[in-house]
């Protein structure tokens, strides 16, 4: 335990005040946006049939909850994201480890990987549906296609970018390749790995929604698609807003995990 | 091989290649290391000193020539950069070698902890390297090298990052450890005074590709610790000679 001096306390207080001010401003901007939206809708300046309004969105949410639909759609989307996130992490970690382990393999497959990575995966959508059927399988496959290559490339880049001095040191201790991997490559790249996981998560999010838009059975993507087909803009915008909220929460969870893993020194 | 010789190199050569050029770092180097001596090596920057140690430590392969070593000779290499792992505590850093070599026994850990105490680093054992000064970091790196109790220490400018006073006192400590524990060391340094005051022999290397320019047996009138050795009447004699051999053009 350290006892803070008065100047130090003052410094911390100022810092905290600034942070609070930033958050207040952010909340204010959001509120302002919704209030203006509602105001314009009420005055009839914008057409609620095309642009909806906050009060209509709240009604839609209440309706969805009453029909006991909202949470099942939410649940489906979240589980699809989680499943594809976990699968893509495992596969990407495995493949990038092999690429790091064996330079020959990495040189052979690098051009394929960057090519696959830059291919617009939506183009594969119809094929995926034909191969995997209009089911959750297609959605997860779509999501993996979108997330996996960039994750492999990022993992591999950070592995081979590890400080050479650390590796030389371990080699001077007669370390095996396995030791180098677990004692240097992984711990020295903790930050990189976590930021890659963040990217991977948002990629999976994109992939799942894209899959749901294509396959359309359940989930937030389905709500958007369905809403647009029956021209229920309230439903579309509600689903989009929930989607935004969801991605914010997921991002926040990863940030917390990040803080737990990369402990302060 | 003679009994008191720990290691010798025969016509050792090392070339580095890239697409355009060939760099001759070492050419026909014949060096022997005696048991329980401190062999200081001085030479111009970039002449191939670190390369020589890397070959001895089996990190690089020589292009030509041979190295003959005493059987089961264990080598500890203190690299030019300290390379402490910022994600490990000081204690875990110094135990790294034991950990890798699967020698983390109670005795060995105790030996290492005693080294930490001796070098005034025990209180910092749970800290991370970022919190340490340059001198402390170098001491940690030295302890990490000593922890596995190697017979031959390869020291690549171990004190280059330090202030003069810390350097002097660490020189004393280093000599004490090597002499007390029956170790042998090859010490690379840019500091001629350090080489003469610490070394039993001093080898002067030429510019790249490095070959031996001269070898001196340091026979001081009264050889004691490195600090007092610097005041010895014959100290300046060696200093002048080696300085001339190095042929530094300013
Ligand atoms: N991995 C490498 N690939 C190519 N050239 C290298 C490599 N390592 C060293 N060299 C070259 O070999 C020569 C000797 O390098 P070395 O590091 O052994 O010098 P040094 O005597 O230790 O220098 P210093 O006193 O500055 O530490 C240098 O010209 C360097 O450019
Ligand atoms: Mg060097």
């Amino acid at each position: 335990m350290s006892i803070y001096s008065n100047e130090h306390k003052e410094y911390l207080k100022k810092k905290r005040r600034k942070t609070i001010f930033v958050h207040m401003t952010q909340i204010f901007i959001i509120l302002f946006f919704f209030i203006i939206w509602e105001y314009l809708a009420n005055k009839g300046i914008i057409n609620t049939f095309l642009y909806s309004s906050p009060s209509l969105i709240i009604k839609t949410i209440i309706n969805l909850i009453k029909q006991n639909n909202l949470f099942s759609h939410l649940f489906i989307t979240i589980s699809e994201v989680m499943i594809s996130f976990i699968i893509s992490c495992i596969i990407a970690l495995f493949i990038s480890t092999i690429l790091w382990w064996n330079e020959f393999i990495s040189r052979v497959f690098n051009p394929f990987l960057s090519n696959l990575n830059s291919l617009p995966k939506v183009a594969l959508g119809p094929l995926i549906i034909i191969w995997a059927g209009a089911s959750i399988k297609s959605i997860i496959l779509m999501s993996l296609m979108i997330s996996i290559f960039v994750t492999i490339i990022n993992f591999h880049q950070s592995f081979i970018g590890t400080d050479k001095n650390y590796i030389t040191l371990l080699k001077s201790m007669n370390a095996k390749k396995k030791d180098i991997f677990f004692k240097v490559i992984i711990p020295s790249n903790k930050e990189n790995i976590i930021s890659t996981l963040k990217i991977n998560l948002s990629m999976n999010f994109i992939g799942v929604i894209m899959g749901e838009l294509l396959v359309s059975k359940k989930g937030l993507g389905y709500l958007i698609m369905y809403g647009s087909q029956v021209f229920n803009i309230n439903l579309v915008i509600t689903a989009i807003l929930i989607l935004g909220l969801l991605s914010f929460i997921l991002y926040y969870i990863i940030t917390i995990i990040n803080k737990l893993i990369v402990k302060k020194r | 091989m003679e009994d008191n010789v720990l290691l010798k190199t025969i016509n050792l050569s090392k070339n580095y290649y890239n697409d355009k050029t060939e760099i001759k770092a070492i050419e026909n180097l014949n060096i022997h290391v005696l048991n329980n001596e401190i062999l200081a090596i001085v030479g111009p920057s970039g002449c191939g000193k670190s390369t020589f140690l890397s070959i001895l430590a089996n990190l690089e392969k020589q292009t030509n020539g041979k190295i003959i070593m005493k059987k089961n000779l264990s080598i500890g290499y203190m690299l030019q950069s300290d390379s402490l792992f910022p994600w490990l505590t000081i204690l875990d850093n110094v135990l790294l070698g034991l950990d890798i070599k699967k020698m983390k026994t109670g005795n060995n850990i105790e030996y290492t902890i005693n080294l930490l105490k001796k070098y005034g680093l025990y209180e910092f054992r749970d800290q991370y390297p970022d919190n340490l000064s340059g001198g402390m970091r170098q001491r940690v790196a030295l302890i990490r090298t000593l922890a596995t109790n190697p017979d031959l220490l390869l020291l690549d400018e171990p004190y280059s990052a330090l202030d003069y006073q810390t350097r002097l006192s660490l020189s004393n400590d280093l000599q004490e450890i090597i002499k007390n524990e029956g170790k042998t060391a090859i010490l690379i340094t840019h500091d001629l005074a350090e080489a003469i005051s610490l070394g039993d022999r001093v080898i002067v290397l030429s510019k790249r590709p490095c070959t031996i320019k001269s070898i001196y047996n340091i026979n001081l009138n009264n050889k004691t610790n490195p600090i007092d050795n610097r005041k010895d009447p014959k100290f300046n004699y060696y200093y002048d000679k080696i300085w001339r051999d190095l042929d530094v053009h300013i």
Side-chain angles (χ1 to χ4, degrees):
Chain A
M1 279 291 282
S2 56
I3 296 158
Y4 295 116
S5 69
N6 280 337
E7 289 83 359
H8 195 170
K9 272 187 209 154
E10 191 59 33
Y11 162 82
L12 290 174
K13 213 172 169 184
K14 264 192 193 151
K15 202 174 147 191
R16 216 173 301 135
R17 231 184 264 148
K18 266 188 192 152
T19 315
I20 290 174
F21 187 62
V22 168
H23 290 322
M24 297 280 277
T25 312
Q26 288 163 336
I27 292 170
F28 177 76
I29 289 172
I30 295 171
L31 282 179
F32 183 76
F33 174 75
F34 281 107
I35 289 169
I36 292 288
W37 187 5
E38 181 67 32
Y39 175 80
L40 293 175
N42 264 340
K43 289 279 172 196
I45 299 172
I46 59 173
N47 185 351
T48 54
F49 183 68
L50 287 179
Y51 300 104
S52 190
S53 76
S55 56
L56 286 172
I57 289 167
I58 292 171
K59 266 185 210 148
T60 314
I61 292 177
I62 292 170
N63 266 339
L64 279 171
I65 293 174
K66 269 190 195 148
Q67 294 159 7
N68 205 10
N69 261 336
L70 181 63
F71 292 109
S72 68
H73 288 298
L74 207 56
F75 178 75
I76 284 284
T77 301
I78 292 177
S79 12
E80 284 163 353
V81 171
M82 281 302 140
I83 291 170
S84 42
F85 175 69
I86 291 168
I87 296 177
S88 64
C89 284
I90 293 171
I91 298 178
L93 197 59
F94 184 71
I95 293 179
S96 52
T97 306
I98 292 176
L99 294 180
W100 173 80
W101 212 281
N102 189 313
E103 209 202 319
F104 173 77
I105 297 181
S106 120
R107 284 186 63 183
V108 169
F109 286 99
N110 259 339
F112 295 117
L113 275 174
S114 16
N115 221 300
L116 283 169
N117 187 38
S118 53
L119 182 79
K121 256 67 73 174
V122 212
L124 299 176
L127 263 188
I128 290 177
I129 295 174
I130 292 169
W131 289 340
S135 68
I136 187 168
K137 265 191 264 168
S138 291
I139 294 171
I140 287 175
L141 207 57
M142 187 76 202
S143 176
L144 289 180
M145 284 297 191
I146 286 178
S147 65
I148 212 152
F149 302 112
V150 63
T151 309
I152 293 173
I153 290 172
N154 280 346
F155 275 154
H156 183 228
Q157 284 299 333
S158 37
F159 288 175
I160 58 177
T162 307
D163 190 335
K164 296 274 177 302
N165 284 321
Y166 295 155
I167 298 173
T168 311
L169 174 75
L170 279 211
K171 281 187 181 159
S172 82
M173 295 167 167
N174 293 327
K176 298 191 193 70
K177 199 133 195 183
K178 184 193 79 184
D179 289 321
I180 294 173
F181 186 74
F182 287 109
K183 301 232 187 273
V184 175
I185 303 295
I186 293 291
S188 74
N189 283 303
K190 246 185 215 166
E191 274 97 346
N192 288 335
I193 291 173
I194 289 177
S195 66
T196 303
L197 291 185
K198 274 186 195 166
I199 296 170
N200 186 20
L201 184 67
S202 22
M203 287 296 164
N204 278 303
F205 220 142
I206 296 171
V208 163
I209 298 302
M210 206 119 83
E212 283 180 352
L213 287 175
L214 288 170
V215 175
S216 284
K217 282 245 167 100
K218 238 176 182 329
L220 292 174
Y222 160 76
L223 280 187
I224 293 170
M225 202 61 197
Y226 172 78
S228 74
Q229 277 162 4
V230 300
F231 226 80
N232 184 349
I233 302 301
N234 292 330
L235 186 58
V236 176
I237 292 182
T238 304
I240 291 172
L241 284 179
I242 293 174
L243 207 55
L245 196 65
L246 188 61
S247 71
F248 175 74
I249 292 171
L250 284 179
Y251 188 82
Y252 200 71
I253 291 174
I254 290 252
T255 311
I256 290 174
I257 294 173
N258 185 1
K259 276 192 184 143
L260 287 179
I261 294 177
V262 185
K263 61 175 181 242
K264 279 201 192 119
R265 295 183 194 122
Chain B
M1 199 160 59
E2 306 85 60
D3 231 22
N4 63 340
V5 175
L6 218 55
L7 173 154
K8 76 181 180 195
T9 68
I10 301 168
N11 294 334
L12 197 72
S13 302
K14 172 74 186 175
N15 303 343
Y16 285 111
Y17 301 99
N18 61 30
D19 290 344
K20 290 213 179 77
T21 53
E22 176 186 65
I23 297 172
K24 286 194 167 152
I26 297 176
E27 198 165 44
N28 288 334
L29 201 58
N30 292 296
I31 287 183
H32 63 275
V33 183
L34 298 173
N35 199 7
N36 210 359
E37 76 167 338
I38 300 179
L39 175 64
I41 297 181
V42 296
S45 182
C47 78
K49 304 182 294 295
S50 298
T51 305
F52 176 62
L53 291 195
S54 299
I55 295 172
L56 293 187
N58 207 9
L59 292 175
E60 306 255 11
K61 195 122 185 59
Q62 68 266 34
T63 315
N64 276 309
K66 258 199 338 201
I67 301 172
I68 302 174
M69 283 191 202
K70 212 165 199 177
K71 245 197 196 158
N72 300 327
L73 184 75
S74 63
I75 292 179
Y77 188 4
M78 184 172 167
L79 299 155
Q80 203 162 358
S81 72
D82 65 44
S83 300
L84 299 180
F85 289 178
W87 59 89
L88 292 182
T89 62
I90 298 307
L91 184 62
D92 288 335
N93 263 296
V94 293
L95 291 175
L96 190 65
L98 293 175
D99 192 15
I100 301 280
K101 296 189 166 161
K102 307 222 162 31
M103 288 173 20
K104 232 171 157 179
T105 61
N107 272 344
N108 288 340
I109 292 176
E110 204 184 302
Y111 174 76
T112 312
I113 285 180
N114 277 331
L115 286 173
L116 281 178
K117 284 181 181 159
K118 198 163 153 188
Y119 280 83
L121 286 164
Y122 185 65
E123 296 89 81
F124 296 91
R125 65 191 178 282
D126 294 325
Q127 304 253 358
Y128 290 88
D130 289 348
N131 299 340
L132 268 55
S133 71
M136 291 158 96
R137 292 176 66 107
Q138 297 248 282
R139 270 181 280 163
V140 174
L142 179 61
I143 296 171
R144 184 183 57 198
T145 315
L146 291 169
T148 52
N149 213 345
D151 308 317
L152 174 64
L153 291 167
L154 308 178
L155 307 168
D156 197 349
E157 299 186 33
Y159 303 139
S160 55
L162 299 187
D163 62 281
Y164 191 65
Q165 261 167 343
T166 322
R167 250 173 123 122
L168 281 184
S169 81
L170 283 186
S171 293
N172 267 7
D173 289 345
L174 182 68
Q175 190 206 38
E176 214 179 282
I177 287 179
I178 291 170
K179 296 301 172 193
N180 287 350
E181 312 209 8
K183 302 212 177 297
T184 307
I186 301 179
L187 170 74
I188 287 178
T189 175
H190 273 131
D191 182 346
L192 300 192
E194 194 170 273
I196 299 164
S197 63
L198 206 53
D200 298 304
R201 289 191 300 145
V202 177
I203 292 183
V204 184
L205 297 177
S206 67
K207 279 188 296 221
R208 193 163 60 82
C210 76
T211 50
I212 294 182
K213 191 145 199 189
S214 48
I215 302 182
Y216 293 94
N217 286 309
I218 306 296
N219 293 313
L220 300 177
N221 287 350
N222 179 19
K223 201 162 189 169
T224 53
N225 62 57
I227 293 180
D228 292 333
N229 285 349
R230 288 172 193 242
K231 298 173 199 133
D232 196 280
K234 291 179 82 177
F235 180 85
N236 280 330
Y237 162 78
Y238 288 114
Y239 197 100
D240 281 347
K241 284 215 118 182
I242 295 175
W243 175 253
R244 243 167 249 155
D245 286 346
L246 273 176
D247 192 22
V248 187
H249 300 290
I250 301 169

